């Protein structure tokens, strides 16, 4: 994953983006919400921001074993996972 | 020495260079290695550990021994392989790892102790306290070459580019691939490590399409150029990951290249060839032992004979072809040792052997070289039947040429995410291609014969072009004849007793021998990655190219397992050494990152400000007119603010405008106290929490109108705070009617502080501001116009004095500032700002360090308001209330005069090793006339207690008294006046 495809800007270098956090939370208690994530070898749902571009917040799904990006969309357009 | 023959890379012009002080003549096109070999020089260095005399062994970047230093200190360039270094006139070269000279090396006495210097010797011997005794000597001996003090090389450049098909390697497979792709319409970039394309074709005697290999190469290059392909020589694929590969262009083999190219091909063809393997036999590191292919390259490219009477040693058919070519070059082939018994040879090999025998070459099937003889250079080869190693005989020779097969160069494929598999016919690892994005072809894929390499190249080129949507009918494979399959039979080391294994070198650059591998396994380091780290096998400039596969195979043999069960250690980028300078490119010095400057920047510079970087911002630390250093000037500047007044450039303050019907509710969620209760025209000091409850930032929030707020944030936190707000707006607050705008650059800020601030402003701002200035209470603000531009005057203080923040448009900032200076207010810098805030116990990033809760900072009152903001619920964790949690306190030296510094630990007595807190900030307070500080101290320590400042590194050991963090004007009468 040396590039991400920003819905506004198209394929851009990874260095233009900043990672924020992984989703989803393991539960709804404050502790689970902040500290615990559902962990998977093949699927990671993440929030990234295109900080050096349009500043959009993105939700991406990728396979951490291979680095393949499975899906990219705006963070605001979907339900919280 | 015989006369030099013609070489494909040589021109008739000559040049001169010096080598360890002696002057030599070379031909233009020579590498250091070829010129020195032509001049009869065999010794080109000493080994790093045992200081054994070493000569060049290879003709490529895998060279383990002949590493030279180019140029004189301090602009010396160490560790340049002589095999890659293209000479230029006047070049100054020196050998490495010797003292005082290559021939008389005193440190070579280490060889005498080599029995004790096995694997792990350093780990086991030089442990404390002995390390302290040995350290000086080891530091002088250790390492390859000497690091330069500066670089005189021209600045390297960085190029970003794209293409349809990138072909790495321009040997037969790479040329065929590039041609096939280009003929199908693909935009092709062909990168070749060497200064010329062709690879093996440079000395290939087989015919391609009825033409000589050289003619075919020329024709292919011509056609590629006509088709618009970009051919880059001296350019190596050094690394990359899916989608982006990194090419490194060197100027004539010198580090500090012309260019680093980041290229995005749609498809990648890896045709990087294979590196010939050494075979381990006793004293196989002597000058005069070469890889077989290297001898052929020196002859074809540079017209150099590496020896006059040769012994060839191999485990495959191709040695007979090589023998014929070397003989045609005028060298005498004394013997060919073929480890295979004659039954395992091909018919072609047997008939070639018969022909050579008829011309006086001893062709010994089932034989191996047991040892090299000769002290400074090879004088004989001791040979014996593989099945009966005791039946030794000595063959006089001046060079032993070895080929133990080939290791495909699969670095790029593996780094790009590929996996490897073991190819039994070649006894070597090849890459497994998982997709048509990356195709490996030719000897890099184990296709050693010319016909196979060309076929794989064409297929790879067609597949790569197709991936880039360039399809065409042409996929004819050039017919090649006269270059058979090698029929290799794995052979890694000659049998010997364990004593002789001590000089059977596997990785000469790191002096790793078969004996080292054996003892490493015996000590329990079984995994190849452990073997690598314990012995240093595969470290160094050649990065396992020379000895990696051989070492892994011998480990497998010693473990009694097949080679694939051992694998190889991980091949990391870069493929060959790349200087940090070339990775940095133009991003050095002032070009490292952009600088942000305020509208008053030029004024500060003109007035002698000493500037300091805060993140990207440049801010005045102090003005040199007030003192020669920050401490002295800061005391003057801060003192002046308290007695009269001063101005400071606060333009870097982060400013975020939050607007919309939901702005107030949004800010309520973002801050520990409510923004919705702020009245229009008022402001409030507010604190943000991270979602885990730790304090994130603080600042003043102004309510500009019912639906518009201006949130000010710390200079250094601005980018993060904007993202923080944006994240919540884009996720949990996605449906809110709300805009966030970073207006940091839209407003310059001038802080006017001190007892005279109001009077000066009144005299300066004109009639329409008089009423506002008189009316403004602490934390009130007024908006209006000045010189026709927007101006906000906020009465707020970070100094403890009566103070006003002027938020003005950048256009009028300089005029306002100069008027204030004209009215008698002197500017102050960050140092004074820090003194003033510390005297009042105000927080900065030293205290808001991401590890402190609102309770730790004494902000319990804000928590008690019960606003359910981000991070609020995790504040209820019981541990945050425990007595060992830190609490913000003030410190004063017990004697009223000693200095102490931020970062020091605090203990309850002079001997305790358990700190009860640490100092976050200190300053000399001109108002109090002594050193003061802020610290975090365990809640168990009461105010009035005496603590010891423990600062062993800086030597400031003193005692301090715990006091209130507000050192000055605790009731804040001055700022409310
Ligand atoms: Zn974007």
């Amino acid at each position: 994953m040396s590039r991400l495809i920003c819905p506004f800007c198209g394929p851009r270098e990874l260095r233009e983006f900043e990672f924020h956090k992984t989703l989803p939370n393991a539960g709804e208690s404050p502790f689970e919400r902040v500290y615990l994530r559902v962990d998977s070898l093949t699927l990671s749902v993440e929030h990234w921001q295109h900080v050096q571009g349009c500043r959009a917040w993105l939700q991406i799904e990728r396979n951490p074993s291979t680095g393949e990006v499975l899906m990219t969309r705006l963070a605001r357009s979907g339900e919280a996972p | 020495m015989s006369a030099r023959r013609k070489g494909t890379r040589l021109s008739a012009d000559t040049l001169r260079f010096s080598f360890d002080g002696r002057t030599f003549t070379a031909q233009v096109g020579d590498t250091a290695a070829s010129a020195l070999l032509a001049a009869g020089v065999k010794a080109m260095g000493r080994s790093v550990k045992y200081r054994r005399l070493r000569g060049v062994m290879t003709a490529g970047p895998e060279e383990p021994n002949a590493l030279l230093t180019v140029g004189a200190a301090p602009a010396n360039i160490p560790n340049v392989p002589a095999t890659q270094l293209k000479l230029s006139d006047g070049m100054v070269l020196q050998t490495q790892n010797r003292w005082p000279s290559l021939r008389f090396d005193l440190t070579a006495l280490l060889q005498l102790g080599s029995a004790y210097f096995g694997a792990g010797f350093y780990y086991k011997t030089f442990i404390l306290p002995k390390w302290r005794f040995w350290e000086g000597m080891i530091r002088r001996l250790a390492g390859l070459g000497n690091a330069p003090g500066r670089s005189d090389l021209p600045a390297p450049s960085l190029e970003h580019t794209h293409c349809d098909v990138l072909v790495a390697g321009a040997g037969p497979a790479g040329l065929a691939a590039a041609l096939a792709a280009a003929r199908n319409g693909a935009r092709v970039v062909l990168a070749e490590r060497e200064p010329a394309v062709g690879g093996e074709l440079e000395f290939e005697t087989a015919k391609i399409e009825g033409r000589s290999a050289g003619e075919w190469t020329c024709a292919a290059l011509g056609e590629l150029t006509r088709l618009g392909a970009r051919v880059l020589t001296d350019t190596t694929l050094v690394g990359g990951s899916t989608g982006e590969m990194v090419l490194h262009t060197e100027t004539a083999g010198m580090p500090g290249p012309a260019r680093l190219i980041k290229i995005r091909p749609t498809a990648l063809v890896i045709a990087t060839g294979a590196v010939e393997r050494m075979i381990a036999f006793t004293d196989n590191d002597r000058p005069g032992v070469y890889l077989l292919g290297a001898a052929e390259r020196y002859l074809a490219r540079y017209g150099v004979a590496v020896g006059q009477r040769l012994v060839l040693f191999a485990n495959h058919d191709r040695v007979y072809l090589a023998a014929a070519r070397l003989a045609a070059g005028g060298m005498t082939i004394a013997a060919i040792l073929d480890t295979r018994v004659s039954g395992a040879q091909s018919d072609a090999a047997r008939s070639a052997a018969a022909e050579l025998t008829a011309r006086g070459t001893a062709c010994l099937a089932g034989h191996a070289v047991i040892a090299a003889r000769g002290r400074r250079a090879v004088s004989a080869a001791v040979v014996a039947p593989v099945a009966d190693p005791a039946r030794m005989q000595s063959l006089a020779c001046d060079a032993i040429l070895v080929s133990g097969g080939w290791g495909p160069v699969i670095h790029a494929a593996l780094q790009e995410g590929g996996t490897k598999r073991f190819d039994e016919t070649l006894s070597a690892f090849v890459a497994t291609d998982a997709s048509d994005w990356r195709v490996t072809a030719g000897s890099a894929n184990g296709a050693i014969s010319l016909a196979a390499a060309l076929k794989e190249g064409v297929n790879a080129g067609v597949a790569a072009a197709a991936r880039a949507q360039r399809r065409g009918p042409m996929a004819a494979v050039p017919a090649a004849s006269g270059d058979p399959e090698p029929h290799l039979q794995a052979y890694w080391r000659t049998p010997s007793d364990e004593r002789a294994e001590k000089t059977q070198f596997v990785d000469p650059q790191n002096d790793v021998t078969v004996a080292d591998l054996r003892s490493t396994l015996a000590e329990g380091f079984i995994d190849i990655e452990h073997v690598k780290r314990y012995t240093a096998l595969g470290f160094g400039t050649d990065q396992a190219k020379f000895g990696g596969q051989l070492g892994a195979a011998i480990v497998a043999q010693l473990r009694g397992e097949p080679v694939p069960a051992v694998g190889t250690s991980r091949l990391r980028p870069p493929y060959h050494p790349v200087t940090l300078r070339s990775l940095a490119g133009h991003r050095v010095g002032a070009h490292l990152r952009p600088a942000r400057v305020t509208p008053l920047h030029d004024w500060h510079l003109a007035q002698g400000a000493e500037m300091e970087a805060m993140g990207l911002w440049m801010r005045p630390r102090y003005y040199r007119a007030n003192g020669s250093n920050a401490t002295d000037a800061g005391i003057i500047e801060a003192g002046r603010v308290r007695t009269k007044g001063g101005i400071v450039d606060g333009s870097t303050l982060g400013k975020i405008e939050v607007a919309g019907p939901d702005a107030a509710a949004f800010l309520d969620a973002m801050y520990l106290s409510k923004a919705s209760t702020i009245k229009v025209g008022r402001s409030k000091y507010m604190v943000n929490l991270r979602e885990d409850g730790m304090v994130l930032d603080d600042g003043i929030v102004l309510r500009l109108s019912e639906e518009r707020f201006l949130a000010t944030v710390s200079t250094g936190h601005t980018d993060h705070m904007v993202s923080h707000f944006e994240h919540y707006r884009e996720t949990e607050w996605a449906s809110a009617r709300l805009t966030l705008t970073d207006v940091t650059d839209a407003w310059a800020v001038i802080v006017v502080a001190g007892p005279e601030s109001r009077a000066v402003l009144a005299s300066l701002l004109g009639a329409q501001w008089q009423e506002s200035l008189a009316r403004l209470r602490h934390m009130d603000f007024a908006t209006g116009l000045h010189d026709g531009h927007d101006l906000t005057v906020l009465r707020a203080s970070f100094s403890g004095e009566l103070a006003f923040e002027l938020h003005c448009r950048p256009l009028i900032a300089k005029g306002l500032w100069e008027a204030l200076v004209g009215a008698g207010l002197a500017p102050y810098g960050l140092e004074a700002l820090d003194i003033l805030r510390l005297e009042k116990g105000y927080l900065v990033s030293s205290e808001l360090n991401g590890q402190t809760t609102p309770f730790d900072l004494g902000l319990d009152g804000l928590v008690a308001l019960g606003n359910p903001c981000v991070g609020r619920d995790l504040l209820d964790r019981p541990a945050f209330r425990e007595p060992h949690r830190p609490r913000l306190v003030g410190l004063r030296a017990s004697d009223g005069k000693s200095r102490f510094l931020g970062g020091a630990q605090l203990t309850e007595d002079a001997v305790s090793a358990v700190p009860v807190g640490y100092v976050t900030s200190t300053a000399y307070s001109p108002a109090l006339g002594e050193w003061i500080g802020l610290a975090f101290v365990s809640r168990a320590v009461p105010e009035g207690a005496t603590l010891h400042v423990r600062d062993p590194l800086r030597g400031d050991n003193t005692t301090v008294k715990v006091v209130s963090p507000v050192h000055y004007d605790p009731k804040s009468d001055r700022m409310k006046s």
Side-chain angles (χ1 to χ4, degrees):
Chain A
M1 53 177 288
S2 59
R3 280 195 289 199
L4 286 179
I5 302 171
C6 172
F8 292 124
C9 312
R12 305 296 303 171
E13 292 276 332
L14 190 63
R15 63 179 76 95
E16 292 183 6
F17 299 84
E18 203 163 88
F19 168 79
H20 181 63
K21 68 171 183 182
T22 23
L23 306 165
N25 308 327
E28 276 314 302
S29 77
F31 177 75
E32 289 169 319
R33 213 184 57 238
V34 173
Y35 289 110
L36 290 187
R37 297 288 178 274
V38 175
D39 198 13
S40 157
L41 195 61
T42 53
L43 178 67
S44 179
V45 184
E46 297 164 0
H47 276 172
W48 289 69
Q49 188 182 19
H50 194 191
V51 282
Q52 288 174 45
C54 62
R55 299 196 66 83
W57 276 92
L58 310 178
Q59 181 163 322
I60 74 162
E61 292 180 13
R62 64 180 191 94
N63 180 336
S65 304
T66 63
E68 188 190 358
V69 178
L70 309 166
M71 195 249 354
T72 310
R73 64 164 171 76
L74 291 179
R76 64 156 52 227
S77 61
E79 299 295 307
Chain B
M1 283 251 350
S2 63
R4 237 172 126 168
R5 303 171 77 89
K6 231 165 85 73
T8 55
R9 295 214 180 152
L10 298 180
S11 87
D13 297 330
T14 58
L15 58 82
R16 286 152 75 84
F17 69 101
S18 90
F19 173 75
D20 277 352
R22 277 174 68 197
T23 301
F24 289 87
T25 305
Q27 278 174 259
V28 172
D30 257 326
T31 62
S34 67
L36 290 168
L37 285 172
V41 174
K42 289 202 167 175
M44 299 188 200
R46 283 193 181 264
S47 72
V48 66
K49 197 156 100 178
Y50 302 140
R51 305 281 155 156
R52 287 167 70 96
L53 205 59
R54 293 280 169 81
V56 69
M57 281 182 155
T58 73
E62 68 272 26
E63 175 56 35
N65 293 333
L67 302 179
L68 302 178
T69 293
V70 184
N76 56 308
I77 305 162
N79 300 324
V80 183
T83 51
Q84 300 294 95
L85 178 64
K86 201 162 141 191
L87 292 173
S88 58
D89 198 42
M91 207 174 239
V92 178
L93 309 178
Q94 283 181 305
T95 52
Q96 300 182 164
N97 298 339
R98 46 58 175 182
W99 184 85
S101 74
L102 186 62
R103 195 173 165 81
F104 303 103
D105 177 42
L106 290 179
T107 55
L109 291 173
L110 287 171
Q111 276 188 66
L112 301 177
S114 63
Y116 308 104
F117 277 11
F121 169 74
Y122 288 88
Y123 299 136
K124 284 180 255 179
T125 310
F126 300 116
I127 51 176
L128 285 172
K130 274 189 275 184
W131 167 251
R132 296 232 162 94
F133 176 78
W134 290 108
E135 185 179 356
M137 188 190 103
I138 289 173
R139 294 237 182 267
R140 204 157 37 243
L141 295 181
L144 296 168
N146 294 316
R150 64 156 208 265
S151 172
D152 289 347
L153 295 168
S157 63
L158 175 66
E159 178 187 341
H160 289 269
T161 189
H162 296 75
C163 66
D164 288 332
V165 178
L166 169 65
V167 181
L175 278 172
L179 260 184
R183 282 172 179 170
N184 281 6
R187 292 175 304 144
V188 173
V189 172
L190 175 61
E192 167 57 46
R193 182 195 75 210
E194 294 290 325
V197 301
E200 300 275 319
L201 298 176
E202 275 192 277
F203 53 86
E204 184 58 67
T205 43
K207 297 253 189 253
I208 307 174
E209 292 175 326
R211 285 180 284 185
S212 79
E215 284 167 356
W216 185 83
T217 306
C218 279
L221 187 60
E223 187 179 346
L224 280 171
T225 311
R226 280 198 303 283
L227 290 169
R230 189 175 170 200
V231 181
L232 300 165
T233 51
D234 285 317
T235 300
T236 309
L237 176 61
V238 289
S241 57
T242 304
E244 183 180 74
M245 307 310 287
V246 180
L247 300 172
H248 183 222
T249 299
E250 286 188 328
T251 316
M254 296 277 282
R259 222 171 344 163
L260 201 69
I261 305 172
K262 295 194 170 182
I263 185 165
R264 290 192 163 277
T266 307
L268 170 68
V269 177
I270 297 176
T272 39
V275 177
E276 202 162 34
R277 294 191 297 232
M278 177 51 71
I279 297 173
F281 58 87
T282 301
D283 293 331
N284 61 341
D285 64 328
R286 286 276 181 254
V289 176
Y290 303 91
L291 291 176
L292 176 61
E296 290 208 73
R297 281 168 174 79
Y298 284 116
L299 179 66
R301 291 173 179 172
Y302 311 106
V304 175
V306 296
Q308 295 309 313
R309 189 177 166 77
L310 314 176
V311 165
L312 275 52
F313 177 28
N315 58 347
H316 54 77
D317 280 0
R318 292 171 72 85
V319 67
Y320 300 100
L321 274 174
R325 292 193 285 243
L326 293 166
M331 289 178 251
T332 304
I333 318 293
I336 297 175
L337 290 303
D338 188 337
T339 59
R340 303 169 301 168
V341 293
S342 87
Q345 297 171 340
S346 68
D347 293 340
R350 274 194 297 271
S351 62
E355 213 168 294
L356 285 158
T357 308
R359 286 198 255 138
T361 297
C363 290
L364 306 175
H367 273 63
V369 173
I370 304 294
R373 282 277 158 76
R375 216 165 69 78
R376 291 196 168 273
V378 167
S379 61
V382 177
V383 308
V386 173
D388 186 7
R391 251 178 55 211
M392 286 188 265
Q393 56 172 312
S394 184
L395 302 174
C397 62
D398 58 358
I400 301 174
L401 312 186
V402 187
S403 177
W406 304 269
V409 176
I410 53 176
H411 297 60
L414 299 189
Q415 284 155 16
E416 191 274 310
T419 52
K420 60 179 183 278
R421 69 180 167 81
F422 193 70
D423 181 302
E424 293 289 347
T425 56
L426 207 58
S427 288
F429 288 99
V430 295
T432 311
D433 288 323
S435 78
D436 52 357
W437 137 251
R438 162 173 49 78
V439 195
T440 314
S443 52
N445 197 37
I448 293 295
S449 81
L450 184 57
L454 290 168
K455 179 160 182 265
E456 284 201 3
V458 169
N459 291 343
V462 169
R467 186 179 165 93
Q469 309 301 326
R470 315 279 185 184
R471 290 172 213 279
M474 280 179 284
V477 177
S481 57
D483 184 60
E485 291 296 328
H487 302 283
L488 176 139
Q489 196 177 66
Y491 190 84
W492 308 106
R493 65 184 180 111
T494 55
S496 70
D497 59 30
E498 291 202 9
R499 201 183 124 68
E501 285 178 358
K502 287 187 171 126
T503 58
Q504 290 190 340
F505 284 87
V506 175
D507 179 350
Q509 188 171 106
N510 295 296
D511 276 342
V512 178
T513 64
V514 173
D516 291 324
L517 297 179
R518 188 185 290 282
S519 71
T520 298
L521 294 172
E523 291 183 31
F525 297 97
I526 304 294
D527 189 277
I528 191 65
E529 296 287 359
H530 289 152
V531 172
K532 170 178 172 175
R533 278 149 191 85
Y534 200 58
T535 61
L537 170 72
F539 280 79
T541 63
D542 75 291
Q543 284 290 296
K545 290 191 223 13
F546 186 89
Q549 293 218 350
L550 176 61
I554 293 175
V555 165
Q557 228 176 37
L558 295 174
R559 274 169 53 179
E561 288 183 78
V563 180
V566 170
T568 56
S569 56
R570 191 176 176 124
L571 303 169
R572 290 191 173 82
Y575 176 70
H576 72 184
V578 178
T579 58
L580 295 176
R581 181 82 179 82
S582 54
L583 293 176
H586 63 278
R587 295 176 299 255
V588 294
H591 300 291
L592 175 62
R593 53 186 186 178
R596 293 179 80 179
V597 297
T598 75
L600 300 168
H601 185 72
D602 292 341
W603 191 95
H604 298 316
L605 293 183
Q607 297 300 316
E610 186 68 39
M611 303 300 282
E612 183 179 82
M614 268 188 93
L616 299 182
W617 284 107
M618 299 303 296
R619 300 188 68 180
R621 172 123 214 115
Y622 63 97
Y623 295 86
R624 283 191 286 271
N626 300 323
S628 58
N629 62 65
T631 309
D632 293 351
I635 290 169
I636 304 267
E637 292 172 10
R640 224 182 254 157
V641 173
R642 296 238 183 269
T643 53
K644 180 179 164 69
I647 52 173
V648 64
D649 181 2
S651 304
T652 62
L653 184 74
K655 307 162 205 86
I656 306 169
E657 194 168 305
V658 186
D662 295 323
F666 176 75
L667 288 173
D668 283 354
M670 293 296 109
Y671 284 95
L672 189 50
S673 46
K674 281 187 188 295
S676 54
T677 58
I678 306 173
K679 294 196 168 56
V680 174
R682 290 283 290 164
S683 68
K684 190 149 109 183
Y685 173 76
M686 311 257 280
V687 169
N688 302 87
L689 301 183
R690 290 197 315 228
E691 63 175 1
D692 65 359
M694 294 296 174
V695 174
L696 174 61
D697 193 40
D698 64 350
I700 291 174
V701 177
L702 294 76
R703 189 163 201 170
L704 305 172
S705 71
E706 274 305 312
E707 297 187 353
R708 265 178 73 216
F709 294 82
L710 183 73
T712 65
V713 299
S714 310
T715 296
H717 281 172
T718 309
D719 294 343
H720 182 75
M721 290 306 296
V722 174
S723 284
H724 178 76
F725 284 169
E726 285 173 341
H727 182 244
Y728 282 97
R729 186 195 61 192
E730 292 297 308
T731 53
E732 288 168 38
W733 290 76
S735 55
R737 295 158 300 164
L738 176 70
T739 62
L740 294 171
T741 314
D742 180 356
V743 294
T744 302
D745 290 320
W747 297 99
V749 175
I750 299 170
V751 177
V752 187
E756 293 184 11
S757 55
R758 183 157 37 203
V760 170
L761 281 174
S763 72
L764 209 91
L765 286 182
Q768 74 272 31
W769 285 93
Q770 300 306 316
E771 183 271 331
S772 305
L773 285 170
R775 171 180 56 80
L776 290 182
R777 293 165 297 158
H778 183 56
M779 303 306 270
D780 280 351
F781 67 89
T783 56
L785 293 176
H786 179 75
D787 275 0
H789 291 276
D790 291 328
L791 174 68
T792 302
V793 178
L794 164 68
R795 185 177 162 187
S797 177
F798 279 96
S799 59
E801 298 299 322
L802 171 68
F804 299 86
E805 282 185 12
L806 310 184
H807 295 211
C808 66
R809 292 303 183 189
L811 207 60
I812 59 167
K814 193 164 168 238
L816 257 178
W817 179 270
E818 286 177 335
L820 288 160
V821 174
L825 295 181
Y828 61 99
L830 282 176
E831 184 70 20
L833 193 72
D834 211 38
I835 294 170
L836 295 167
R837 71 94 191 169
L838 193 58
E839 287 177 336
K840 283 295 290 175
Y842 291 141
L843 310 174
V844 293
S845 55
S846 312
E847 288 81 34
L848 305 180
N849 59 15
Q851 299 173 26
T852 45
T853 69
F855 311 123
D856 303 343
L857 294 163
L859 301 170
D860 306 56
L862 295 181
V863 183
L865 297 170
N867 178 33
C869 66
V870 167
R872 175 64 188 78
D873 42 15
L874 280 181
L875 276 184
D876 291 334
R877 284 181 281 178
F880 282 178
R881 298 288 198 171
E882 280 176 2
H884 70 266
R885 281 298 307 177
R887 175 175 58 109
L888 184 74
V889 299
L891 298 179
R892 307 259 186 102
S894 304
D895 60 4
K897 59 174 198 261
S898 286
R899 177 188 181 181
F900 53 100
L901 294 171
Q905 298 292 310
L906 295 166
T907 56
E908 292 195 292
D909 56 58
V911 292
S912 170
V914 185
V916 292
Y918 61 96
V919 185
T920 56
S921 329
T922 65
Y924 178 81
S925 162
L928 280 81
E930 62 173 303
W931 282 84
I932 60 170
L934 289 178
F936 286 112
V937 166
S938 161
R939 277 152 209 263
V941 177
E943 206 165 297
T946 295
L947 294 176
H948 288 253
V949 178
R950 306 285 290 279
D951 202 350
L953 286 179
R954 292 176 295 194
D956 281 326
N957 296 311
T958 183
T959 57
V960 288
K961 203 163 85 182
V962 176
V963 297
S964 155
V966 188
H967 293 277
Y968 179 75
D969 187 22
K971 292 210 183 81
S972 294
D973 294 330
R974 294 179 69 89
M975 71 180 190
K976 287 175 182 164
S977 62

